[in-house]
Amino acid sequence: MTVRRRMMGLTVSPLRRRHLLFAILIIFLPCTVFILMSSPGQSDLSGEEALVERMAELQLRLQHLDALYRAREEDVNVLSQHLGQVLAGETNVSEARGLLNTTGLLRPPSAYHFLPHLLLGQSPLRPAYCLSKGRTGVSVIMGVPTVKRAVQSYLLSTLQNLINSMSTEEQDDAVIVVLIAETDEEYVLSVAGELREQFDNEISNGLLEVISPPASYYPDMNHLRPTLGDAPERVRWRTKQNLDFAFLMMYAQPKAMFYIQLEDDILAKPHFISTMKSVALERIANKKPWFVLDFCQLGFIGKMFRCVELPWLIQFFFMFYNDKPVDWLLDHLIHTKSCNLEKDMKHCRKAKDELWIHYKPSLFQHIGTHSSLKGKVQKLKDKQFGKVKLFYPHYNPAAIVLSEIKAYKQYTLKRAYEGETFFWGLLPQPGDHLFFKFTSPVNVTKYLLKSGNAEHPSDRFYNTTVEVLPLITPTVVYDNFNYTADGFIIIGRFDNMGIAEGKVDHKLGAIKEIRLTVHSESENWAILSEILFETSGNR
């Protein structure tokens, strides 16, 4: 009987649970206020504004914890009841099995009602691949789905831009989850390997996570209902996208307070995390309703949700995954939550605008041209984002510049070297060169060459070396230098992100020429968006 009392004591009523949560908040409130008033990073806000914002954040964290508790409450209560009866001797093992029989038990619909194939698969709701340090309890989690693209991938550039656009404080309070939405294990491991190589630090410190879904998560894509008069290929594409987004949201939901839906071909403005979080907390603090905060006017990019409300979206996607595109489903959900059918469309639009908040100027821009849907070209741009800087000019020593790669229109190498624009060349071929012949030999101390730009991140130099020709050929052959057949010395090469950067060894003395040599064929054009040759006289 004593054991039974202890077991039954584990059950906490919802009302008592909420009282305990609020009691914890009240107990720690004085300490929280002191920390808030003395914490760094609030110099741009008055003490009162910072306190109000922080209280809104604590309120949201409380809702988040409450949601996590409720998600497990039913199973815990049922299990403790059955276990208590067994331990008290009121039921034997056979009777205990009977108690677990759900006949007559009313249960709300779950994912299995809308995706019955999940019951047949092996671990269909567990990632087939997961690269994670388990970071949780952060303010913001970003979902970046990516798939195999027929033409070019923007994923690495997008992730680099997102990371570069975040301060150290923002990175410490966020998670980026990349969903490789493919079931080809070889492809998944290949992309994951690229991400490990390029973002090892971000993966190690928990900022970046990588997952992929199991094949058993998807229904038979060859037997979908034809809807909206679309071709079967398009129906499969948008159906899979709905399911991909739902999988990503399910994974992300318990890890943070806010979820931001992104894509793998975008550009973000600096400190976008702080801006988005501030907008959300201001509305929460002032008790202004919202369901989605929209920081980009295109598709499903830059949409921000409270993680505790993601189940609404996930369930809606599961119900109608075969019927309409993901952005249409979001619009229908908002319509259902807000519109009065007895009122006109003007009233409906006004009611929707109270839940779907559009923020201007936009914080994200779409940069991709080729859609993941084969054959679809989309040149969508968000006009609210503003102009994007496409090149970075520098003062370089006087030189004659020549290119064996044909320039596109006015985007010549000469104009790029002089800081007027960027160089844009057509399809580099093996053996192509770019020459920088200095008018007078100079002591070059550093070089920086960046290829690609914000609008065309994949137009980079691949497998291309940086070579110098000293005024006086070194009389000593140095082991750390590689020489070409015509006397140039290789001092560097472009990396996977299309950047070549380094110092020039002073042993080489004055340099009379720098040359770029392409060693393999490229599928894309090539851009030089930044050219810097720093000398002892132009620092």
Side-chain angles (χ1 to χ4, degrees), residues 221-222 224 231-241:
M221 291 295 189
N222 294 317
L224 298 172
E233 185 178 7
R234 188 176 183 86
V235 174
R236 285 193 293 270
W237 173 73
R238 55 178 169 81
T239 293
K240 182 177 180 299
Q241 188 178 61

Side-chain angles (χ1 to χ4, degrees), residues 348-394:
C348 179
R349 283 193 296 271
K350 183 178 180 181
K352 288 169 67 175
D353 287 342
E354 292 180 356
L355 293 184
W356 189 331
I357 311 300
H358 296 274
Y359 178 87
K360 296 179 182 180
S362 298
L363 299 183
F364 303 95
Q365 179 62 286
H366 179 258
I367 59 173
T369 302
H370 301 278
S371 169
S372 56
L373 176 61
K374 187 177 180 180
K376 180 182 178 183
V377 176
Q378 49 187 15
K379 299 182 179 180
L380 300 174
K381 298 295 177 185
D382 190 334
K383 295 179 181 179
Q384 295 292 333
F385 186 80
K387 290 186 177 181
V388 178
K389 194 166 186 176
L390 300 178
F391 68 97
Y392 297 84
H394 291 286

Side-chain angles (χ1 to χ4, degrees), residues 333-526:
L333 176 57
I334 300 294
H335 185 282
T336 301
K337 288 175 70 70
S338 58
C339 289
N340 185 338
L341 295 180
E342 296 179 350
K343 301 290 182 68
D344 58 19
M345 287 303 299
K346 182 179 179 180
H347 181 275
C348 179
R349 283 193 296 271
K350 183 178 180 181
K352 288 169 67 175
D353 287 342
E354 292 180 356
L355 293 184
W356 189 331
I357 311 300
H358 296 274
Y359 178 87
K360 296 179 182 180
S362 298
L363 299 183
F364 303 95
Q365 179 62 286
H366 179 258
I367 59 173
T369 302
H370 301 278
S371 169
S372 56
L373 176 61
K374 187 177 180 180
K376 180 182 178 183
V377 176
Q378 49 187 15
K379 299 182 179 180
L380 300 174
K381 298 295 177 185
D382 190 334
K383 295 179 181 179
Q384 295 292 333
F385 186 80
K387 290 186 177 181
V388 178
K389 194 166 186 176
L390 300 178
F391 68 97
Y392 297 84
H394 291 286
Y395 175 78
N396 286 302
I400 298 172
V401 297
L402 302 170
S403 172
E404 294 178 346
I405 302 172
K406 184 179 179 180
Y408 174 67
K409 294 185 177 181
Q410 76 274 19
Y411 301 103
T412 63
L413 185 60
K414 182 177 185 296
R415 294 189 68 219
Y417 188 74
E418 294 174 353
E420 297 177 7
T421 185
F422 54 90
F423 168 71
W424 203 358
L426 281 62
L427 292 176
Q429 300 297 311
D432 282 346
H433 297 97
L434 276 66
F435 302 95
F436 305 90
K437 301 180 179 181
F438 299 117
T439 304
S440 299
V442 292
N443 291 308
V444 181
T445 58
K446 175 185 175 182
Y447 65 92
L448 173 62
L449 299 155
K450 288 187 178 180
S451 61
N453 63 20
E455 290 189 348
H456 303 278
S458 297
D459 285 3
R460 303 182 194 142
F461 280 94
Y462 301 90
N463 195 14
T464 300
T465 53
V466 182
E467 305 158 0
V468 298
L469 184 63
L471 176 62
I472 301 174
T473 303
T475 56
V476 178
V477 177
Y478 295 101
D479 293 337
N480 57 331
F481 292 148
N482 293 317
Y483 296 80
T484 66
D486 55 353
F488 279 78
I489 298 173
I490 300 173
I491 61 171
R493 63 176 56 247
F494 284 81
D495 63 17
N496 291 336
M497 297 303 295
I499 299 173
E501 182 177 14
K503 295 181 179 179
V504 181
D505 198 314
H506 66 88
K507 298 173 186 175
L508 299 178
I511 304 298
K512 62 180 181 181
E513 185 176 342
I514 294 180
R515 181 176 74 182
L516 307 185
T517 301
V518 179
H519 297 281
S520 59
E521 187 175 359
S522 177
E523 296 180 353
N524 304 319
W525 292 9

Side-chain angles (χ1 to χ4, degrees), residues 25 150 173 225 262 283 286 315 342 350 414 431 478 490:
L25 182 60
D173 195 29
R225 288 181 296 103
L262 301 175
R283 296 195 69 86
N286 291 299
Q315 192 81 330
E342 296 179 350
K350 183 178 180 181
K414 182 177 185 296
Y478 295 101
I490 300 173

Side-chain angles (χ1 to χ4, degrees), residues 48-105:
E48 183 178 353
E49 289 175 327
L51 179 59
V52 170
E53 184 175 292
R54 185 59 176 159
M55 285 301 298
E57 184 175 350
L58 289 174
Q59 177 187 349
L60 193 63
R61 287 189 183 276
L62 190 64
Q63 292 175 352
H64 179 69
L65 291 172
D66 190 52
L68 292 178
Y69 187 98
R70 281 188 281 108
R72 295 162 175 81
E73 190 173 48
E74 179 184 358
D75 291 338
V76 171
N77 285 342
V78 171
L79 182 61
S80 65
Q81 179 182 353
H82 295 339
L83 201 56
Q85 292 177 351
V86 171
L87 294 175
E90 295 180 3
T91 59
N92 55 37
V93 176
S94 176
E95 291 173 330
R97 289 197 185 99
L99 287 172
L100 296 176
N101 185 351
T102 57
T103 302
L105 178 65

Side-chain angles (χ1 to χ4, degrees), residues 164-175:
N164 291 343
S165 300
M166 299 164 63
S167 66
T168 302
E169 292 75 16
E170 289 173 324
Q171 292 181 19
D172 290 341
D173 195 29
V175 173

